[in-house]
Amino acid sequence: PTLAQLIATGFHRNTLTNDEGGTDPEQFRVDAIADRVDTTGLVYLGLTLGCARCHHHKYDPISQREYYQVFAFLNNCDEPQVDAPTQAEIDSGVVALRSTIRSQIAEKEKQLAEHQTELLAKQIEWEATITPKFYRTLPGPAQVSLEVKPATRDDGQKKLVAELYRMTDEARNAFPLVKQIAELQAASPVIATSLILRERVEGRQTRIHRRGNFLDEGAAVQSNVPAVLPPLNDNGKKASRLDFAKWLVDPINPLTPRVTVNRYWMSFFGRGLVETENDFGVQGAHPTHPELLDWLAIQFVESGWDTKLLHRLIVTSATYRQASNVRPELAEMDPANKLLARQSRVRLDAEIVRDSALSASGLLAHKLGGPSVHPPQPDGVYQFTQDSKPWKTDVGEDRYRRGMYTFIWRSSPYPALGVFDAADANTTCTRRGRSNTPLQSLTLANDIQFVECARNLASEVLNQTQLGPEARAALLFRHCLVRLPNTLELQRLLQFIGLQRLAFAGQPTHAAALVASESADPQSIEHAAWTAAARVLMNLDEFVTRE
């Protein structure tokens, strides 16, 4: 496999982990595989395979045995972390430098191994000096390992305690080689890595878990796909994960292309041709336009699974290009718009709400790729979580990058994204919820990132010194809503700006604070009035809704 292909297997490494100790590692491994089976079923096949983990599926023709046959495809994997250096790291010589340092470390480790008996004796002496205060600062696995007597520790526990001891001043003072190794490790450059799945040389035996209990194993099973679907082409050998992957995108598979095009259709129309986009089973909704779904799926496969071509096909259609206005007769005949007599009004996804504000304000950074960024968020957010998370707010270009680049703590997601129904990072999400709450309006009005956008947009409009007040107001309106205001809207907007100008004139320090100005002068008052108008426009339902 190429490095890119290995990195792609990291899709299945997004499962939950636990490194706090006190749990059975095998339970987490089994739960992670079950998560991967469920994700594969929902995302690619539109089937609720997870319902068959503990018993036969109650509705679809999928037995518990068939569930564990699919489970077997993913049960024969290790979960390593591999080096994935960028081209820049290779060109700069960083990779070569690290290779040299690693060779030096290996040589010194070989020399240190000659003093293993003495090193172990000193380690046991050090263990006797550990105080309760220091013990409490250690991670769970280290605490568990120290509680086991040295003679009865397993290999993992021995390695963990040895590494802990070698980090101490006592070890580095007693053994110069330990200190030299530590210095080399500190000097070794950090290179990008990737979490992957890798097939085991010695396969695991997969067995049915009675009632889903991994401790209660039943009959052994071999990897295979549900009998209700087309057979797997394994060439007479034991089917592998690669065979399963090829089967998923085999043209004879009726589900993968239909599920995929249906999900894209949902993103463009707000509702799939099959409304239950993650359940094509017996309990799922019937397609509103089955022939269209079939035709799109065939076109998608015959184009070589060309996603861009599929998008172009949909967005250039007459159906997509309809207006989203709701006519009275349509509201009565087809209130849910299942017959597609008009376009749908769809609330923007959480990341795109912020992207729209950045774009309208002129702040949006168009840089592609790279590590996640840390845009501003309210102070004290992590006081309400189990443990405080580091969050150093970015400045410059990274502060204004697209929402998809925002760093996500799984246990403490970025608050503004959560307000606008961003996905829960703990479970597979194939469809976003769409709510309309007061908290969303408060966030648009008061969150620092949206205030910054309003402030910059006001500045951009005021810099158009050749324009009069009406033309400026129309420009502000067009930036936010991508259309010109009608007479009434323009009149009300100018009236609002006038009222804000008077209000800020009476409280110039508030005006200066809003626009981050050091002086409360007429210029900051004017800037504040237009900033207030921009905040109002960015708070409209039309601003956060795709018309």
Side-chain angles (χ1 to χ4, degrees):
T2 64
L3 178 60
Q5 290 170 333
L6 287 174
I7 292 172
T9 68
F11 170 74
H12 276 309
R13 291 295 305 276
N14 288 318
T15 51
L16 296 176
T17 58
N18 185 318
D19 57 2
E20 297 177 0
T23 59
D24 187 339
E26 178 64 9
Q27 178 183 0
F28 267 83
R29 191 191 71 81
V30 169
D31 285 346
I33 296 171
D35 187 310
R36 291 163 191 159
V37 174
D38 295 353
T39 297
T40 302
L42 293 172
V43 172
Y44 298 108
L45 299 173
L47 294 178
T48 53
L49 290 178
C51 294
R53 182 180 179 183
C54 305
H55 48 69
H56 297 330
H57 201 294
K58 290 187 179 297
Y59 305 105
D60 297 337
I62 301 171
S63 68
Q64 188 183 21
R65 168 178 286 275
E66 288 175 323
Y67 170 86
Y68 284 98
Q69 288 175 341
V70 177
F71 187 98
F73 284 115
L74 296 161
N75 192 33
N76 190 37
C77 298
D78 286 328
E79 302 179 11
Q81 179 172 300
V82 299
D83 292 338
T86 64
Q87 192 59 47
E89 289 173 334
I90 296 172
D91 294 341
S92 64
V94 170
V95 176
L97 172 61
R98 194 186 63 165
S99 178
T100 300
I101 291 177
R102 282 187 169 181
S103 298
Q104 294 172 350
I105 291 174
E107 180 61 32
K108 292 189 180 298
E109 287 283 5
K110 191 183 298 182
Q111 297 173 23
L112 184 62
E114 299 173 2
H115 305 279
Q116 186 61 32
T117 303
E118 184 183 355
L119 186 66
L120 182 58
K122 290 289 186 180
Q123 175 189 311
I124 294 173
E125 291 178 12
W126 166 77
E127 288 181 43
T129 67
I130 293 177
T131 64
K133 182 179 179 180
F134 175 72
Y135 177 84
R136 288 193 295 269
T137 65
L138 300 175
Q143 293 180 356
V144 172
S145 300
L146 286 169
E147 290 173 358
V148 180
K149 292 182 179 180
T152 56
R153 289 171 184 157
D154 60 32
D155 291 341
Q157 292 169 335
K158 290 177 181 177
K159 181 180 178 182
L160 194 59
V161 177
E163 290 175 349
L164 194 63
Y165 170 63
R166 287 172 59 168
M167 292 171 62
T168 64
D169 291 337
E170 291 90 336
R172 294 176 183 183
N173 291 333
F175 300 93
L177 280 170
V178 171
K179 183 178 181 181
Q180 293 168 17
I181 291 170
E183 290 172 345
L184 285 170
Q185 289 173 335
S188 180
V190 176
I191 289 175
T193 60
S194 181
L195 304 175
I196 69 165
L197 289 184
R198 174 174 284 156
E199 207 74 5
R200 291 168 59 91
V201 176
E202 296 182 9
R204 289 190 180 96
Q205 176 67 68
T206 299
R207 294 181 177 274
I208 295 173
H209 298 164
R210 297 188 182 94
R211 296 184 180 276
N213 182 358
F214 77 102
L215 296 175
D216 188 3
E217 293 187 333
V221 298
Q222 297 296 323
S223 52
N224 207 339
V225 298
V228 71
L229 296 173
L232 183 79
N233 182 13
D234 56 9
N235 296 319
K237 304 176 184 177
K238 181 181 178 181
S240 68
R241 186 160 48 97
L242 181 59
D243 293 322
F244 183 48
K246 291 178 178 178
W247 173 83
L248 282 173
V249 293
D250 192 310
I252 68 169
N253 187 333
L255 287 177
T256 304
R258 285 169 176 80
V259 169
T260 304
V261 300
N262 184 67
R263 192 164 288 127
Y264 285 129
W265 185 275
M266 180 183 68
S267 68
F268 287 120
F269 289 89
R271 178 196 302 271
L273 295 170
V274 176
E275 187 171 359
T276 53
E277 45 72 45
N278 60 0
D279 187 0
F280 275 47
V282 173
Q283 291 294 99
H286 291 282
T288 55
H289 301 71
E291 295 87 355
L292 175 59
L293 180 65
D294 290 347
W295 183 78
L296 286 171
I298 292 169
Q299 293 294 312
F300 189 39
V301 173
E302 291 183 349
S303 71
W305 304 80
D306 191 329
T307 302
K308 286 188 176 182
L309 187 63
L310 175 66
H311 290 182
R312 188 179 300 113
L313 180 64
I314 293 175
V315 301
T316 56
S317 68
T319 306
Y320 177 81
R321 290 183 289 162
Q322 295 178 109
S324 54
N325 300 331
V326 182
R327 303 196 304 273
E329 67 275 17
L330 291 180
E332 183 177 348
M333 295 172 58
D334 183 23
N337 193 34
K338 292 183 178 181
L339 300 179
L340 302 172
R342 59 177 175 83
Q343 247 297 359
S344 302
R345 297 182 75 251
V346 181
R347 173 62 60 89
L348 301 178
D349 287 338
E351 297 86 347
I352 301 177
V353 170
R354 177 171 174 269
D355 292 352
S356 296
L358 290 170
S359 180
S361 68
L363 288 172
L364 181 64
H366 295 280
K367 177 183 175 182
L368 297 178
S372 299
V373 297
H374 301 77
Q377 63 177 337
D379 294 332
V381 164
Y382 291 130
Q383 293 177 6
F384 300 95
T385 59
Q386 285 184 320
D387 58 318
S388 182
K389 303 289 196 305
W391 189 273
K392 185 178 180 181
T393 302
D394 286 316
V395 295
E397 183 183 45
D398 283 349
R399 188 183 185 95
Y400 307 116
R401 297 196 65 192
R402 292 176 59 191
M404 65 176 293
Y405 293 111
T406 300
F407 188 92
I408 298 293
W409 286 104
R410 178 172 260 164
S411 58
S412 309
Y414 190 69
L417 295 181
V419 168
F420 286 98
D421 307 305
D424 173 16
N426 289 324
T427 56
T428 301
C429 175
T430 56
R431 174 172 50 188
R432 296 279 183 96
R434 298 190 190 277
S435 64
N436 194 342
T437 68
L439 191 56
Q440 293 173 351
S441 183
L442 290 168
T443 298
L444 289 171
N446 301 311
D447 192 299
I448 180 59
Q449 58 186 328
F450 291 103
V451 172
E452 285 183 355
C453 290
R455 182 191 300 154
N456 198 75
L457 176 55
S459 180
E460 291 284 323
V461 170
L462 288 173
N463 285 338
Q464 304 298 319
T465 54
Q466 77 279 11
L467 300 179
E470 289 192 359
R472 283 179 175 175
L475 180 61
L476 183 71
F477 198 96
R478 186 174 181 181
H479 267 286
C480 292
L481 305 181
V482 202
R483 66 177 179 86
L484 292 173
N486 59 39
T487 303
L488 179 59
E489 288 169 334
L490 183 58
Q491 179 185 346
R492 294 187 66 181
L493 182 59
L494 288 169
Q495 183 182 13
F496 177 79
I497 293 171
L499 291 172
Q500 291 297 308
R501 188 182 294 117
L502 288 174
F504 282 120
Q507 295 180 309
T509 55
H510 288 189
L514 177 62
V515 298
S517 173
E518 296 180 358
S519 58
D521 52 26
Q523 187 175 358
S524 64
I525 291 172
E526 188 69 8
H527 189 187
W530 285 82
T531 298
R535 290 172 74 189
V536 168
L537 293 176
M538 289 183 179
N539 211 320
L540 294 176
D541 179 69
E542 186 176 345
F543 183 78
V544 293
T545 303
R546 189 212 65 183
E547 296 282 351

